[in-house]
Amino acid sequence: MSRETVRLTMAQALVRYLCNQFTEIDGERAPLFAGVFGIFGHGNVTCLSEALEAVQDKLPTWRGQNEQSMALAAVAFAKAKRRRQLMVAATSIGPGAANMVTAAGTAHANRLPVLLLAGDVFANRIPDPVMQQVEHFNDPTVTVNDAFKAVTRYWDRIVLPEQIVSSLPQAIAAMLDPADCGPAFLGLAQDAQEVAFDYPVAFFEPTMWSVPRPRPDRAKLAEAVALLKSAKRPLIISGGGVRYSLAEETVAEFAVKRGIPIVETIAGKGAVTHDHPAHAGPIGIIGSTSANALAQDADVVLAIGTRLQDFTTGSWTAFDRDAKFISINTARYDAIKHRAVAVVGDALETVIELDTALGDWKTDAERLAKAKSLFADWNKLLDQHQAITNGPIPTYAQVVAIVNESAKPNDTLIAAAGGTPGEVTKGWRVKNPNTFDCEFGFSCMGYEIAAGWGHAMAKNGDGTPIVMLGDGTYMMMNSDIYSTVLTGHKMIVVVCDNGGYAVINRLQQFKGVPGFNNLIKDCRVKEPFAVDFVKHAESMGALARRCESLADLKSAMEWAQTTDRTTVVTLVTDAYAWVPGDADWDVGVPEVSERASVQNARVHQEEIRRKQRVGV
């Protein structure tokens, strides 16, 4: 290997390294890092910005409006690219860095890669305390950036320029490891960024990265085959890992060939189209009656690429106590849950090997026939809730139906928090695979509009992101409407104005507490009034229209598809009408209370807990 060196500052070397990392997208070589979302301040403006400015043609930098939202846009970009291509989010020290912690948590919970770069204090400590430095009297090494340790897969603080030689490859490897995927964080000491070092030229050689595909253990695969062959009522749960493994078609073909119905987690929804012959709906708390009925009578559950979150398992009440689990997952941590036969491996490769090992076995044809019948009943129920009526206030279900009908096959639906996730998970009928993003691992309010920006970048004109959210979430984080107009990344935003935080108000009241501090009318305010979302969106350069009826909404969505920039559509929606669910959820209810409504809710909660599988 050549001993030739090049003298660069640490910041310059970091940026040059990022520019020379590559990946493969649809058979074509592409930059691993598609760009940088950045807000500059002291701690990154003098050194990191100097390095980024010089490579705009290779590594474009996009200015965010808020550190949290720009990092969320990066998270959504990675999801849209199915973890094959990444973005960087860069901030200054102090509050700029702290603002990104929520986005890091979102990436961590959803197992999504993003490289987070934040300025840090001076390694030499001579000017301490610097502006925005939080001082820990018993440990001067602690800074704001230590907060990222809880929400990242890889964390490092760079205090010497040569440290990036070992740290950067480890950060990338962690982000691309399907078993350990998540955000990586580097804290960049201010004085370390400016220091020049003689870096080996070989460090900057172009590197092609690929996502590993670990094969399953033969003995565990054989155990899974034996258990699946014993099944009379098997069920496949398709999780987000199926999509990230690019295993959608393989799993779908396997299900049809073996006669096993597929139900989807929230992260897994969209691996198959709504009308796929093996599809039986979303499972769990915000799932379908069809999927939940199939889960309840399943004797063997084949869970593929899912961490089995409580919204999937109904807080572990959704399955028969005697049901057995086979878990295919790249992460051992996920695979062994609930005493499953843990087949640790890539979803695509493992399902292929499982299919071969099963020979000519298939389950009884009645199993898929039953699934189709249950799913047909579910679709009829959806049709009833989504039917257009002349009611004074539209329901979420009706809005979802109209927006869904207007969506083009390659448009991507985006949701995250509030009442929208339940309604779109239940009611959105996917037209093309991988056109659905409901972030519900972290249920991050504020993800939606930022994610629309990230998806628009990733899609690059192949369909339009359609963001659905409530008024409460819109108020929490909306500044990337301005970002998308500035940068020419169009999305359609549908704001359902229901007067506050309506779905959490529903949960609050369902558990016996009177409406309190959720709907605006139930808050400590002088006089409730609604925000004019049209004027607000227009002030950020977007086109906007207020709808007074479902007919207006249909017309507005048709118009929004023809516009040349981000378009916002808003209408008042019912804060109390929701498509019902039939799965249980374990949330805390006071053990003692003087309220009869809370006492009754506690009795129901104890009934739920008696049904739970406790780790087995």
Side-chain angles (χ1 to χ4, degrees):
M1 182 178 292
S2 170
R3 296 185 180 182
E4 184 182 359
T5 62
V6 57
R7 192 161 182 79
L8 299 167
T9 69
M10 182 268 277
Q12 292 164 353
L14 185 154
V15 169
R16 181 174 294 195
Y17 182 84
L18 296 182
C19 289
N20 283 289
Q21 309 310 301
F22 296 91
T23 185
E24 187 176 291
I25 303 289
D26 297 328
E28 300 286 334
R29 189 172 99 150
L32 177 63
F33 295 97
V36 178
F37 290 107
I39 295 179
F40 295 127
H42 85 283
N44 71 349
V45 71
T46 55
C47 295
L48 185 61
S49 76
E50 187 268 347
L52 288 170
E53 191 277 337
V55 297
Q56 296 179 65
D57 58 330
K58 295 181 180 179
L59 187 66
T61 297
W62 305 90
R63 200 198 78 137
Q65 314 306 321
N66 176 287
E67 291 87 356
Q68 177 180 327
S69 70
M70 73 180 192
L72 289 172
V75 172
F77 180 94
K79 181 182 282 192
K81 291 294 188 179
R82 289 189 282 172
R83 306 199 301 205
R84 263 62 184 176
Q85 193 176 36
L86 319 179
M87 294 288 285
V88 181
T91 78
S92 62
I93 69 172
N99 281 349
M100 285 203 305
V101 172
T102 298
T106 302
H108 191 278
N110 287 280
R111 319 289 171 87
L112 290 166
V114 57
L115 178 59
L116 306 172
L117 303 176
D120 213 319
V121 296
F122 280 74
N124 64 27
R125 302 186 192 169
I126 291 173
D128 283 7
V130 299
M131 184 173 63
Q132 298 182 338
Q133 179 177 353
V134 294
E135 294 181 276
H136 287 255
F137 305 149
N138 65 333
D139 187 350
T141 67
V142 174
T143 76
V144 164
N145 290 339
D146 286 81
F148 286 93
K149 289 180 178 179
V151 287
T152 52
R153 295 293 183 186
Y154 182 86
W155 186 98
D156 197 4
R157 175 177 285 122
I158 305 300
V159 297
L160 294 170
E162 58 267 39
Q163 290 175 337
I164 64 169
V165 175
S166 60
S167 191
L168 280 171
Q170 292 290 351
I172 293 174
M175 289 187 290
L176 295 182
D177 184 345
D180 202 32
C181 185
F185 173 86
L186 297 180
L188 309 176
Q190 291 185 65
D191 46 348
Q193 290 181 52
E194 73 186 52
V195 176
F197 181 77
D198 294 320
Y199 290 94
V201 170
F203 179 58
F204 304 107
E205 289 179 354
T207 301
M208 177 66 77
W209 292 85
S210 61
V211 177
R213 289 192 179 276
R215 267 61 173 183
D217 176 78
R218 291 192 184 96
K220 280 296 181 183
L221 187 69
E223 190 178 344
V225 168
L227 180 55
L228 192 55
K229 283 186 173 181
S230 74
K232 302 299 182 185
R233 300 176 304 280
L235 180 67
I236 293 172
I237 299 178
S238 176
V242 171
R243 296 171 64 181
Y244 299 137
S245 177
L246 313 184
E248 305 96 314
E249 290 185 14
T250 299
V251 171
E253 290 171 1
F254 174 85
V256 172
K257 179 179 178 181
R258 304 299 174 178
I260 308 175
I262 294 175
V263 298
E264 293 179 310
T265 69
I266 301 168
K269 183 177 171 74
V272 295
T273 61
H274 185 80
D275 295 324
H276 185 275
H279 181 229
I283 187 175
I285 294 168
I286 56 175
S288 59
T289 56
S290 50
N292 290 336
L294 292 167
Q296 193 64 58
D297 78 347
D299 56 355
V300 175
V301 178
L302 178 58
I304 309 175
T306 171
R307 64 194 181 110
L308 296 173
Q309 183 210 31
D310 66 341
F311 263 65
T312 297
T313 67
S315 299
W316 285 103
T317 66
F319 308 99
D320 186 90
R321 286 184 181 273
D322 295 325
K324 305 296 183 183
F325 281 77
I326 301 166
S327 187
I328 296 173
N329 206 295
T330 52
R332 171 195 52 80
Y333 188 92
D334 293 322
I336 68 169
K337 290 173 181 173
H338 279 253
R339 300 182 72 238
V341 175
V343 186
V344 180
D346 172 69
L348 177 64
E349 298 296 339
T350 302
V351 171
I352 289 173
E353 292 191 28
L354 177 64
D355 186 51
T356 300
L358 283 170
D360 60 0
W361 175 88
K362 63 165 54 179
T363 195
D364 194 294
E366 290 183 4
R367 182 60 174 167
L368 204 51
K370 179 179 180 179
K372 290 180 177 179
S373 176
L374 289 169
F375 193 46
D377 290 342
W378 168 248
N379 280 313
K380 290 176 184 176
L381 182 61
L382 273 184
D383 290 341
Q384 292 172 14
H385 284 280
Q386 294 181 339
I388 304 303
T389 63
N390 293 320
I393 304 177
T395 67
Y396 263 72
Q398 292 169 326
V399 172
V400 168
I402 289 175
V403 175
N404 198 172
E405 182 183 2
S406 75
K408 296 176 182 177
N410 284 346
D411 291 347
T412 297
L413 187 283
I414 300 167
T420 309
E423 297 300 302
V424 297
T425 299
K426 291 186 179 88
W428 189 269
R429 308 185 199 210
V430 173
K431 299 174 183 179
N432 268 358
N434 296 302
T435 57
F436 184 89
D437 174 9
C438 181
E439 189 290 294
F440 221 58
F442 211 50
S443 185
C444 179
M445 290 184 73
Y447 172 82
E448 298 90 334
I449 290 174
W453 190 19
H455 273 277
M457 282 188 174
K459 293 179 80 68
N460 195 27
D462 183 20
T464 301
I466 299 177
V467 175
M468 286 195 65
L469 74 170
D471 56 304
T473 302
Y474 180 99
M475 292 298 291
M476 188 167 285
M477 191 164 293
N478 53 60
S479 58
D480 283 323
I481 290 175
Y482 180 58
S483 300
T484 61
V485 177
L486 280 174
T487 60
H489 294 102
K490 179 187 172 179
M491 61 182 171
I492 299 170
V493 180
V494 181
V495 184
C496 295
D497 184 355
N498 53 34
Y501 303 142
V503 81
I504 205 68
N505 178 70
R506 175 198 186 195
L507 176 63
Q508 183 182 52
Q509 293 187 318
F510 182 65
K511 296 303 181 181
V513 182
F516 172 64
N517 205 51
N518 286 316
L519 295 182
I520 295 170
K521 69 180 182 63
D522 296 328
C523 298
R524 192 180 295 275
V525 296
K526 183 177 180 181
E527 184 176 346
F529 68 93
V531 172
D532 190 329
F533 295 105
V534 169
K535 288 183 179 178
H536 184 268
E538 288 177 339
S539 74
M540 291 189 285
L543 302 174
R545 183 177 293 182
R546 175 183 172 89
C547 302
E548 303 296 341
S549 66
L550 292 171
D552 277 358
L553 176 62
K554 184 174 182 179
S555 175
M557 288 304 300
E558 292 171 354
W559 164 71
Q561 288 283 4
T562 69
T563 60
D564 64 352
R565 73 193 77 168
T566 289
T567 302
V568 176
V569 174
T570 179
L571 76 166
V572 173
T573 48
D574 197 312
Y576 300 97
W578 309 95
V579 177
D582 65 342
D584 293 314
W585 189 21
D586 188 359
V587 294
V589 176
E591 189 171 3
V592 295
S593 174
E594 294 181 357
R595 302 176 192 270
S597 57
V598 174
Q599 294 168 9
N600 292 334
R602 177 69 187 188
V603 170
H604 181 242
Q605 201 66 29
E606 290 170 351
E607 292 173 357
I608 291 173
R609 289 173 178 167
R610 281 193 291 271
K611 293 190 291 183
Q612 286 178 314
R613 294 165 59 111
V614 183
V616 296

